[in-house]
Amino acid sequence: MTGKTTRRTVPVKIWSVLLAALALLGALGAWLTFGRETAAACNGLSEDGRVQKSVGASVRPVMSCAALGQALVKATAAEQGRHSQEQAQAVKDVLFSPGLGHTKDLRIDAALRVPLATVLADFAADTHELLAGLDSQYVMKGDPDDVPWETSGTHHLAVDPLVFRNVVRAVSQDPQAYAILRLAETRYAAQQLATVPGHATGAAFSLPPTKNGRALGILDGLSDTYTRDRAWRTAIRDRLLREPAAQDTYQEDPAAYLTAAWLQGLRNTPETELVNRLRTQGVDIARTWTQARNTDESTRQALIAEVDRSAQSAYREAKS
């Protein structure tokens, strides 16, 4: 009787040990895959060999996240509006670091959100294209091993679109960081419209405002999680309205005029309507632009409808 009991008990103990070991291995694997992306100090950036090499000697394994953020901004800031290959590569290495961009639920250290937004805003042309996702060159050169390329004396940054969106979504948790990105996109969108010739027709006329609507719509979708927070909305509004809204005429400075006109409209918008006003930014700027150009009414309405469709589609895409 005793012998039978012993023979039946041993396998149970073995299975218990095996199951416990498997559970431990599973937990370890999950930590290796996901946990270290956010658990490491400063998202592991200061300990990443590629980041240390590309950003420079100012990045050390033991440093505060605030100091790391300052180092990133300083190392990648454009000189006279131009970025070197080394600067673009440094940003690319940061965005592809294992601690960033690999999950939609990415959490970025609070001290790094504003610096990373500042870095991306400094690459406004590339950020615009990565948001809009309509330039094939940014797709073809978006892999980790693709080197930055040069046009018009500056080097460009491209990364995998999902990695980029994950980072933008994560930094947008900080309203100051989101406002930095929003202002950079606003100014660049206005500049794109300002360069459209007065005689342009067809795609040359409609693509820039439609692409603007898409880029802004992606930003709206990526920040959707945070817009329910009243404190976040208030901080966004306060930061945006610190920008000067004095307007030159459209003829004097088209880009400045379009930017200031939108900011002035935002100034007259109640806080409760802020999110809706952001959601219609692409349409609002396109309307102001076509009015300043004296575009005929039927062409204006057709364009505004196209911009609105582009923005709404992008919003739903980024939100999902």
Side-chain angles (χ1 to χ4, degrees):
M1 189 74 171
T2 303
K4 290 183 179 179
T5 303
T6 303
R7 284 194 298 273
R8 293 179 62 185
T9 305
V10 171
V12 171
K13 290 181 179 180
I14 292 174
W15 278 112
S16 297
V17 172
L18 287 173
L19 289 173
L22 288 172
L24 180 60
L25 288 172
L28 178 61
W31 180 85
L32 289 171
T33 304
F34 303 108
R36 64 179 176 181
E37 289 186 353
T38 55
C42 309
N43 290 81
L45 294 180
S46 59
E47 299 176 357
D48 187 315
R50 291 188 66 171
V51 172
Q52 292 172 359
K53 181 179 178 180
S54 60
V55 176
S58 58
V59 177
R60 303 178 305 278
V62 181
M63 66 187 308
S64 71
C65 297
L68 173 61
Q70 292 174 0
L72 295 178
V73 172
K74 183 177 180 180
T76 60
E79 298 178 8
Q80 299 181 335
R82 301 174 185 273
H83 289 107
S84 67
Q85 182 176 354
E86 292 76 17
Q87 288 175 320
Q89 186 62 53
V91 179
K92 187 162 188 168
D93 288 342
V94 167
L95 296 183
F96 273 116
S97 178
L100 294 182
H102 297 276
T103 170
K104 187 176 180 179
D105 298 323
L106 173 67
R107 296 291 183 269
I108 291 179
D109 188 284
L112 290 176
R113 293 168 192 161
V114 167
L116 284 173
T118 302
V119 168
L120 293 177
D122 200 55
F123 282 80
D126 301 321
T127 296
H128 175 77
E129 296 297 343
L130 288 167
L131 287 170
L134 299 180
D135 189 326
S136 60
Q137 186 142 238
Y138 284 83
V139 177
M140 293 187 296
K141 297 180 182 288
D143 288 341
D145 295 329
D146 293 329
V147 298
W149 71 101
E150 182 183 6
T151 58
S152 303
T154 191
H155 285 80
H156 296 281
L157 163 73
V159 296
D160 179 273
L162 291 180
V163 169
F164 179 76
R165 290 186 184 186
N166 289 337
V167 171
V168 170
R169 181 185 289 108
V171 301
S172 296
Q173 183 175 354
D174 187 316
Q176 303 303 320
Y178 183 76
I180 289 170
L181 291 172
R182 193 84 193 196
L183 283 168
E185 178 56 32
T186 298
R187 293 193 182 99
Y188 190 79
Q191 291 169 8
Q192 292 301 98
L193 296 181
T195 62
V196 177
H199 56 78
T201 59
F205 171 74
S206 63
L207 182 58
T210 304
K211 183 184 281 190
N212 288 346
R214 177 166 171 78
L216 290 163
I218 293 292
L219 272 181
D220 288 326
L222 294 177
S223 65
D224 183 73
T225 302
Y226 314 118
T227 58
R228 301 174 182 85
D229 185 336
R230 183 175 181 180
W232 188 91
R233 297 195 306 268
T234 300
I236 288 290
R237 187 174 188 273
D238 291 346
R239 176 63 184 85
L240 292 175
L241 294 185
R242 289 208 302 268
E243 295 299 304
Q247 297 182 29
D248 294 325
T249 66
Y250 182 79
Q251 288 70 28
E252 291 172 325
D253 192 335
Y257 175 85
L258 294 172
T259 300
W262 184 76
L263 288 171
Q264 186 59 51
L266 189 68
R267 192 176 303 278
N268 299 326
T269 301
E271 185 273 332
T272 55
E273 296 297 319
L274 173 67
V275 175
N276 289 334
R277 192 59 186 257
L278 292 175
R279 290 272 303 276
T280 63
Q281 185 179 6
V283 167
D284 292 340
I285 293 180
R287 182 181 290 111
T288 302
W289 178 63
T290 53
Q291 289 171 345
R293 288 166 60 97
N294 296 317
T295 304
D296 68 83
E297 186 63 20
S298 62
T299 302
R300 177 185 302 131
Q301 292 303 325
L303 176 67
I304 287 173
E306 186 176 354
V307 173
D308 184 55
R309 286 193 298 271
S310 178
Q312 294 302 323
S313 174
Y315 169 74
R316 291 190 295 270
E317 175 187 323
K319 182 182 174 182
S320 61

